[in-house]
Amino acid sequence: MSSTTDQLAREFLEVFEPGNPLDKEGFEDWVQLHSIKMTDIKRAVTRAISLGWVQDSPPGLRLTKDGETTVGG
């Protein structure tokens, strides 16, 4: 995985509020603000999930404790 994908995955974590599912509006704002390509977003989300920073749950994607530590670290 490229370092760009890892960096984007870390930045993706900042869209979350701990304890809440991914806010679609906040996510869309993040995408527009950074002018990110959809393929890069998919790679970053997949990377964040594979690293255990984000989990896919019924109400939507959620930041994990490891993800909170990564954002805070």
Side-chain angles (χ1 to χ4, degrees):
M1 208 47 68
S2 75
S3 62
T4 303
T5 299
D6 284 351
Q7 180 60 37
L8 193 55
R10 282 186 184 88
E11 290 175 15
F12 171 63
L13 300 180
E14 296 175 13
V15 177
F16 289 88
E17 286 186 39
N20 294 319
L22 178 64
D23 175 55
K24 283 188 172 190
E25 192 173 302
F27 176 71
E28 291 169 1
D29 290 346
W30 175 71
V31 170
Q32 288 180 347
L33 178 68
H34 296 290
S35 301
I36 304 168
K37 294 181 203 170
M38 192 53 72
T39 53
D40 292 338
I41 292 168
K42 288 179 182 178
R43 282 189 204 122
V45 171
T46 300
R47 184 68 175 153
I49 292 170
S50 72
L51 290 170
W53 296 343
V54 173
Q55 71 179 19
D56 194 1
S57 63
L61 295 175
R62 286 187 179 268
L63 194 60
T64 65
K65 292 292 181 194
D66 286 342
E68 288 179 32
T69 301
T70 301
V71 170

